[in-house]
Amino acid sequence: DYDPQVAMDLHTTDGSVHGYMLTYAEPLHPATDTAITNLLRGDWLPSVTRTIKRTDNFDFYYYGDFPETPVDRGGGGAERGWYSFDHRPRFSENYWGLRNRIGILSEAYSYATFEDRIKATKRFVEECVAYAVGHASLIRRITQAADAHSLAGESLAVRARIHRGPDLPVLRGEADEETNPYTGQRMLHRRNVGHPDTMPDYTTFEATEYARVPRAYYVPGNLKVVIERLAAHGIRFTRVDQPVVLQAERFRIDSSWTATRDFQGHKERTVRGAWEPAGDTIPAGAVEVPTAQPLGRLIVVMLEPRSDDGLLDWNFFDDALNGARYYPVRRAF
C-alpha cells in the first residue's frame, strides 16, 4: 500500500580501504527502466556528489570493492578493478528499480569515525531529498511513464553479470590499525587521504540472458504459496472461472539442480531448458497474471524459470518440479 517514488537504504560498508567517505548505488538490475538509471547516473548522483564535495569536502562515489577484498561475486573477477556487488532484486534498491521506483543505496565508510559516518550519511540524505524536491515533476513523469509502459513482446533481462566499463580513477585510502578501547579488538581508523588509481570500472551489470515478455502468465491454482507471494508484492491477477483453451508456451526442463550451500535457509535452484509452443487448457482456479501492469518487470523476474532471482530460484516450485518434465507456469502472447 505504501509506494513511494523514492526510497533510500542506508548502510555502512565492511569492505576495502578506499578513499571515499561514502559510496552509493542505483538499481543495478539491467531490466530496470532505463529512464530511472539514466536519471540517477546521468544527473542525480553526480549532482549530489559535486554539491557535497563543494560544501563539505567529502569524496563520494559509486559503491565498489577492490578485487583483493574477499567478496563472493559468483565466479568473480581476479582482474584489478573497482567492483560493485550484485544486480539481483533480493537487494533493496535493485528491487525498487524493478517496481519502477527510484532506489538509492548509501554505504558510509566503515573505517571513518562514527561521527563522520553520521555526518556523511546525513548530508547525502539531505542532498538526495533536496534533489527529489527540486525535480519532483520529472520524477513523477518518469515513474508514471514506466508504470504505464506495456512490456508485452519485448525482451527483458532475466540473468546478468558484472560489466567491465572504462578505466576510471578510483581513490585508494589508508587506515591505521588501532585497539578498540572498549573491546580490545583490532580496528582500522581512516586516514584523511585519497590516492587516485586508474582501473577498470565494474559498477554496472549487463544481461546474459533475456526472456520475451508474454501478454500473461498462468499459474495453477494449487500453487497457493506462489500465488500468495505474487499478492504479497502487490501484483494484480484474476482467477480463471472456467477452463480456457489457448495457444500457450510451456517450458521444457532439460536439467535441474540446487546449490550445495544454503543461502538464508534456501538452496537456490536452477533449471535449463526452453520454451516451446503448446496448445493448452488452462483449468478453472488458475490465475492469469497480465504483464500490462505497473509491476510487469517484477512479474517477469519472479515467474521466468531462468531468472537468477525468481520464485523458482527461491524454491517456491520445488514440490511442483519433483520429477516434472515441464515448469507448471504457462505463458501466452
Side-chain angles (χ1 to χ4, degrees):
D1 294 334
Y2 184 56
D3 190 23
Q5 286 141 325
V6 181
M8 299 182 69
D9 188 5
L10 311 181
H11 287 256
T12 294
T13 64
D14 55 0
S16 54
V17 181
H18 58 67
Y20 301 106
M21 190 67 80
L22 181 144
T23 53
Y24 45 68
E26 77 284 8
L28 297 173
H29 198 292
T32 306
D33 188 281
T34 54
I36 290 173
T37 53
N38 288 344
L39 173 65
L40 284 164
R41 288 190 78 100
D43 188 52
W44 188 321
L45 294 172
S47 174
V48 167
T49 299
R50 289 191 299 268
T51 298
I52 292 175
K53 179 64 175 177
R54 184 179 68 249
T55 59
D56 300 81
N57 200 31
F58 290 156
D59 288 304
F60 289 3
Y61 194 52
Y62 293 99
Y63 176 87
D65 274 311
F66 297 116
E68 61 265 30
T69 303
V71 175
D72 178 7
R73 299 188 184 87
E79 182 184 16
R80 183 173 173 275
W82 181 244
Y83 287 81
S84 191
F85 62 108
D86 202 306
H87 66 285
R88 290 172 292 183
R90 66 186 63 181
F91 297 97
S92 59
E93 82 284 356
N94 300 335
Y95 173 74
W96 293 327
L98 290 179
R99 294 184 69 94
N100 299 329
R101 298 297 177 257
I102 307 292
I104 300 174
L105 171 70
S106 164
E107 293 275 0
Y109 187 42
S110 59
Y111 304 141
T113 64
F114 185 63
E115 180 180 7
D116 282 346
R117 282 183 268 145
I118 294 296
K119 287 179 179 178
T121 302
K122 180 174 183 287
R123 289 294 294 121
F124 184 60
V125 172
E126 286 173 343
E127 291 303 327
C128 282
V129 171
Y131 187 97
V133 172
H135 298 79
S137 296
L138 174 62
I139 292 168
R140 289 193 192 98
R141 188 162 65 249
I142 286 174
T143 54
Q144 288 170 359
D147 284 351
H149 179 68
S150 177
L151 298 165
E154 297 183 10
S155 292
L156 204 67
V158 291
R159 303 184 78 85
R161 65 187 174 197
I162 203 160
H163 170 70
R164 189 188 194 280
D167 287 359
L168 296 173
V170 176
L171 294 182
R172 287 190 179 270
E174 297 178 14
D176 294 315
E177 187 173 321
E178 298 180 355
T179 300
N180 187 298
Y182 298 100
T183 66
Q185 293 181 325
R186 169 186 175 274
M187 60 182 285
L188 294 179
H189 186 190
R190 172 185 179 271
R191 288 185 183 178
N192 190 25
V193 298
H195 308 294
D197 187 0
T198 300
M199 61 186 67
D201 177 86
Y202 283 96
T203 61
T204 60
F205 289 78
E206 60 188 6
T208 58
E209 193 169 325
Y210 293 88
R212 191 161 66 102
V213 181
R215 173 186 59 79
Y217 292 93
Y218 290 87
V219 181
N222 64 336
L223 296 180
K224 292 183 172 58
V225 66
V226 172
I227 296 168
E228 289 169 357
R229 189 59 52 179
L230 295 172
H233 285 268
I235 291 168
R236 299 198 303 262
F237 53 80
T238 56
R239 292 277 177 180
V240 176
D241 294 329
Q242 54 187 2
V244 178
V245 179
L246 48 73
Q247 280 300 119
E249 289 187 343
R250 59 184 182 180
F251 186 86
R252 184 190 71 249
I253 298 172
D254 296 332
S255 60
S256 173
W257 66 94
T258 54
T260 56
R261 290 193 303 171
D262 281 4
F263 177 77
Q264 296 190 358
H266 291 259
K267 289 186 184 297
E268 295 181 75
R269 185 164 192 150
T270 305
V271 295
R272 290 191 185 278
W275 288 100
E276 57 185 32
D280 220 337
T281 299
I282 306 300
V287 298
E288 180 185 53
V289 187
T291 58
Q293 58 175 295
L295 298 183
R297 296 173 189 276
L298 184 62
I299 290 167
V300 174
V301 171
M302 290 178 69
L303 288 181
E304 279 293 321
R306 287 286 296 155
S307 169
D308 56 14
D309 212 27
L311 294 179
L312 185 149
D313 176 271
W314 283 90
N315 308 124
F316 286 92
F317 287 97
D318 277 6
D319 289 343
L321 293 179
N322 187 22
R325 187 182 175 192
Y326 292 99
Y327 177 56
V329 174
R330 300 292 189 260
R331 66 184 194 182
F333 290 86

